[in-house]
Amino acid sequence: MKKLLLCIAVFALAACSDEPTPEPEVVYGKKLVTFNAGHTSRTHFIENTNYWDASDCIGGFAEKNSNVKFSTSQDMLGYFSGSITTIDEEVPSFVLYYPYNATAKFANNILTSSLPAVQSLAEGSSYNVMPMSSQVDNFDKTVYFYNMCGVLRVKVSSKVARTLTKMVVTMNAGEPIAGNYTADLTDPTEPVLTMASGGSATVTLEGAVAMSANTEYTFLVILPPATYAEGLNITLEDSDGTTFNTADEPDTYKFTQELPMQRASLLTVGKAIDFPAPVDENGPEYEAAKWVWASSSNLISNVSTLSVAEATNLAEAGTANCYIASAAGTYSIPAVKPDGTPVDETCPNATIKFTLSGEEGNAVVAYTNEAGEILWSWHIWCTDKPADQSWNANTWLDRNLGAVTAVSGDVGSYGLMYQWGRKDPFPGSKLYSWTGTNDESSAFSTDYTYYTVANSGYGWKYESGVGLTVAEAIAQPMFMCQNATAADPDPSCADGSKNFNNVTRPWVAGMCAVEYSKLWLDDQKTIYDPCPAGYRVPTQAQVKADFSDLTDQFATSGKTNGLTLSSVNCWLPAAGYRTYDGNGKLFKVGTMGHYWTSTTYFPRSSNHHYGATFYTMAIRETTSGVYGITSNGQLKASENAAVRCVKE
């Protein structure tokens, strides 16, 4: 019995020794992993901040994992997910690269992929292009990527508004910057990228970047690490098909010098590129247009005489010193006076183009000489189209000149202010209901926000004892003054002409009163009339004809910052006025309003000099708290009053 047992034991031992030892079974599985790609390795830049994009994808290679695609989403930018193959439920070590390429290969630590020849054009950004690499043993940790290429920063500006659609970067010595590459990822934190032969020496960035005039924009171009022996040239193209190549101006853009680009470096091309404006053949060779002031910094932009952009002509109804625009868009006006006389005889067909945001408000644009001196300026009135109101003998606009509404109770109904005989407006009140004395502490004070001034060369100001010639007033549309020294007759005036006395307080100097009174006329619209085409400053006779018999309708209207003429649905706000003896400050806002007429009168004074009376339509609050109206109101010519335009 023992022998039998022994034989069995020996047999069993022999059987075991004759068979091979089995390998442990390897279990492969699928697993959805999500990892966070570190913020320091994000792929594009916006205002100096890096971001991942929702379309970004990362590729990965590992044992039993060939070119796995990891995607992010709009909801979790920077978090990437993908399905991988696990080994015995363990995640293998991955080599990761960006951006994902379906044809990429990886073997012996060498990644083969490509750089696109056509890339996205975006301000301050390089979308989906920069190749990066990383290695990860654990997807539970944040994964950081390392750049394989460098970045070339290109700055571009333009003197006119335009849409940049293409930027072409070409290496002068033919070094490839697009096409296939290999990257040695032996150490993925120090990738070594080499471009394959036969690649393209040109990269084209395509898109649509709206450029404002005189604003610098930054663009980023991904370049492989290399020394570019003869530098590069850059071609720009806009939506109108206008192109510019820096090679055409080698003395300005010295881009042909050797350019050493290293991995993970940022180089700025030597000089910002000024994309030359397409020249309007009808305009001057220099930029002659500028906006002088605007009621909002967002109201008007891209003011230019060089622009060839398509624009709506605001002068279709006729030329004037004021043009109405009721919607956002690009507009043009001819650089001519209301009578059609060119402002610049050397460029009789010049136009000024500008872009309006659609905001309500007012702006003044000007045409200048090469020294920047204003030759003429125009008021751009941004409001819904004013309605005509007709009764008795005349047709009136439904609001004050410069007002953005015809509705009572709104400061936007006050409009702008004018000195008698001048075409250019001064600001009205920006407060509807004033407290205290109902006036400013000083002219153009900081009691409330005044209108935006285009540049330091202009500014609102008031001076007493100073007079301007008409030419000087045209060149200084923001200068309010009063000449208090015009009491004595001017011997240069023609025999029998009427001179100012010191009661009149004109703003003008070097002009006889009778000539001054012709700046606005009763019998015709002059080139200094501030109203839009088809309208003019009313005469005193027109005011009397249409307003005198309406007095009783609002004699008991109460204090409402103005008068509502109910029978004709006409609102006349008490917008106040700017007074010479208050140093130009706004006065009586909400309790009094003056509206200029074109009518003047020369009563003979006691000392045998001639003064001039400038009539207004005046509304005022009485001691009983109600409003009255008169067509025989009077202001000094240097004072500011509102204008209600009447149809010609």
Side-chain angles (χ1 to χ4, degrees):
M1 186 66 179
K2 290 182 179 178
K3 290 182 179 179
L4 179 61
L5 289 174
L6 179 60
C7 289
I8 295 173
V10 172
F11 175 81
L13 179 61
C16 290
S17 61
D18 290 341
E19 294 182 2
T21 303
E23 294 288 337
E25 183 178 354
V26 178
V27 179
Y28 300 105
K30 288 293 184 180
K31 182 178 181 178
L32 181 66
V33 296
T34 299
F35 62 92
N36 178 20
H39 66 277
T40 58
S41 54
R42 290 176 179 175
T43 61
H44 63 267
F45 311 95
I46 299 176
E47 297 179 351
N48 298 320
T49 302
N50 300 326
Y51 292 91
W52 287 104
D53 187 65
S55 62
D56 283 332
C57 293
I58 291 170
F61 291 91
E63 183 182 351
K64 299 298 181 180
N65 289 270
S66 179
N67 207 13
V68 177
K69 183 178 182 180
F70 300 92
S71 303
T72 187
S73 69
Q74 186 67 50
D75 296 332
M76 295 185 66
L77 293 182
Y79 285 85
F80 289 81
S81 299
S83 178
I84 67 169
T85 299
T86 59
I87 303 174
D88 285 339
E89 299 184 356
E90 295 294 330
V91 175
S93 177
F94 266 82
V95 171
L96 302 175
Y97 74 96
Y98 173 88
Y100 173 80
N101 181 350
T103 63
K105 300 181 184 304
F106 183 74
N108 300 319
N109 294 323
I110 302 297
L111 173 71
T112 302
S113 189
S114 61
L115 284 172
V118 178
Q119 303 173 12
S120 296
L121 178 70
E123 203 271 326
S125 187
S126 61
Y127 286 95
N128 313 112
V129 176
M130 171 63 81
M132 301 185 294
S133 63
S134 185
Q135 187 170 17
V136 59
D137 296 317
N138 185 347
F139 283 111
D140 293 335
K141 297 179 180 179
T142 299
V143 179
Y144 294 100
F145 285 80
Y146 300 87
N147 292 344
M148 300 185 196
C149 290
V151 178
L152 181 70
R153 180 163 52 195
V154 181
K155 296 183 177 181
V156 180
S157 64
S158 172
K159 288 185 172 61
V160 298
R162 68 206 316 169
T163 299
L164 183 65
T165 56
K166 188 179 293 185
M167 176 185 294
V168 181
V169 179
T170 302
M171 293 302 159
N172 293 323
E175 299 95 343
I177 57 175
N180 293 332
Y181 69 80
T182 58
D184 187 341
L185 303 184
T186 302
D187 180 358
T189 67
E190 291 288 342
V192 180
L193 183 146
T194 303
M195 295 299 296
S197 60
S200 173
T202 296
V203 164
T204 301
L205 280 64
E206 296 181 344
V209 177
M211 299 178 64
S212 298
N214 302 312
T215 302
E216 194 171 88
Y217 293 81
T218 299
F219 301 93
L220 303 178
V221 183
I222 304 303
L223 291 183
T227 297
Y228 299 96
E230 298 177 17
L232 53 84
N233 69 67
I234 296 174
T235 302
L236 304 176
E237 183 174 332
D238 68 10
S239 57
D240 294 325
T242 303
T243 61
F244 172 71
N245 192 320
T246 56
D248 295 337
E249 296 187 13
D251 294 335
T252 302
Y253 303 104
K254 303 181 185 299
F255 294 172
T256 58
Q257 300 175 354
E258 181 180 275
L259 178 67
M261 177 61 74
Q262 297 179 353
R263 182 190 75 79
S265 65
L266 175 65
L267 292 181
T268 301
V269 73
K271 178 181 175 62
I273 303 173
D274 181 10
F275 193 174
V279 177
D280 183 347
E281 296 179 355
N282 293 318
E285 295 183 358
Y286 65 96
E287 180 54 82
K290 62 179 64 177
W291 64 271
V292 180
W293 63 262
S295 54
S296 165
S297 59
N298 298 320
L299 184 75
I300 188 169
S301 60
N302 305 327
V303 180
S304 177
T305 52
L306 302 177
S307 173
V308 294
E310 292 186 6
T312 300
N313 182 11
L314 291 178
E316 289 289 348
T319 54
N321 289 315
C322 171
Y323 294 97
I324 301 171
S326 300
T330 299
Y331 295 92
S332 69
I333 59 173
V336 298
K337 301 174 185 179
D339 63 357
T341 303
V343 171
D344 182 355
E345 293 290 348
T346 64
C347 298
N349 297 315
T351 61
I352 298 176
K353 295 181 180 179
F354 47 87
T355 301
L356 297 177
S357 66
E359 290 186 19
E360 293 182 327
N362 297 277
V364 168
V365 299
Y367 189 102
T368 69
N369 59 22
E370 288 193 74
E373 299 166 331
I374 293 176
L375 302 181
W376 201 267
S377 54
W378 298 265
H379 166 209
I380 308 302
W381 187 8
C382 302
T383 182
D384 59 298
K385 183 175 175 56
D388 284 344
Q389 293 182 318
S390 300
W391 64 90
N392 291 349
N394 301 287
T395 299
W396 305 79
L397 287 183
D398 67 350
R399 66 197 66 188
N400 288 359
L401 187 52
V404 296
T405 181
V407 178
S408 63
D410 191 328
V411 68
S413 68
Y414 283 165
L416 300 172
M417 297 278 176
Y418 295 81
Q419 287 187 302
W420 194 96
R422 292 185 73 171
K423 65 183 180 64
D424 293 301
F426 291 88
S429 175
K430 295 193 81 173
L431 294 177
Y432 183 69
S433 297
W434 289 52
T435 59
T437 59
N438 285 41
D439 58 13
E440 293 177 299
S441 59
S442 62
F444 313 120
S445 69
T446 57
D447 290 348
Y448 54 92
T449 303
Y450 264 115
Y451 297 136
T452 302
V453 178
N455 57 64
S456 58
Y458 302 118
W460 301 109
K461 64 178 180 178
Y462 173 85
E463 288 188 28
S464 179
V466 175
L468 298 174
T469 64
V470 172
E472 289 170 338
I474 292 170
Q476 301 179 76
M478 301 175 75
F479 186 10
M480 177 185 174
C481 63
Q482 67 99 0
N483 184 9
T485 61
D488 296 324
D490 184 344
S492 67
C493 291
D495 184 41
S497 69
K498 304 173 177 64
N499 290 278
F500 294 107
N501 62 24
N502 60 0
V503 177
T504 303
R505 304 278 179 173
W507 56 263
V508 75
M511 178 180 282
C512 300
V514 70
E515 295 302 318
Y516 177 60
S517 68
K518 295 178 182 178
L519 295 179
W520 292 351
L521 289 171
D522 278 3
D523 58 356
Q524 65 181 26
K525 183 177 181 177
T526 73
I527 63 170
Y528 305 107
D529 191 296
C531 291
Y535 298 85
R536 53 158 294 163
V537 176
T539 67
Q540 185 189 35
Q542 289 174 310
V543 169
K544 286 183 176 180
D546 283 10
F547 289 95
S548 295
D549 62 349
L550 297 174
T551 303
D552 292 340
Q553 296 185 34
F554 45 75
T556 59
S557 63
K559 185 176 180 179
T560 57
N561 288 69
L563 302 169
T564 299
L565 284 61
S566 57
S567 65
V568 292
N569 193 30
C570 175
W571 164 244
L572 295 173
Y577 62 98
R578 291 192 176 277
T579 173
Y580 81 91
D581 56 357
N583 294 322
K585 67 183 181 181
L586 276 169
F587 187 62
K588 295 291 185 182
V589 174
T591 61
M592 183 178 291
H594 279 277
Y595 293 76
W596 282 124
T597 74
S598 59
T599 304
T600 58
Y601 173 60
F602 292 90
R604 190 174 181 84
S605 65
S606 58
N607 61 357
H608 304 295
H609 297 163
Y610 287 92
T613 298
F614 298 86
Y615 284 116
T616 68
M617 174 176 66
I619 57 174
R620 60 174 63 89
E621 183 186 7
T622 67
T623 55
S624 60
V626 299
Y627 284 89
I629 189 169
T630 177
S631 58
N632 292 314
Q634 299 176 17
L635 284 180
K636 306 301 185 287
S638 59
E639 294 181 306
N640 278 200
V643 170
R644 181 64 67 94
C645 300
V646 68
K647 202 162 191 175
E648 291 185 89

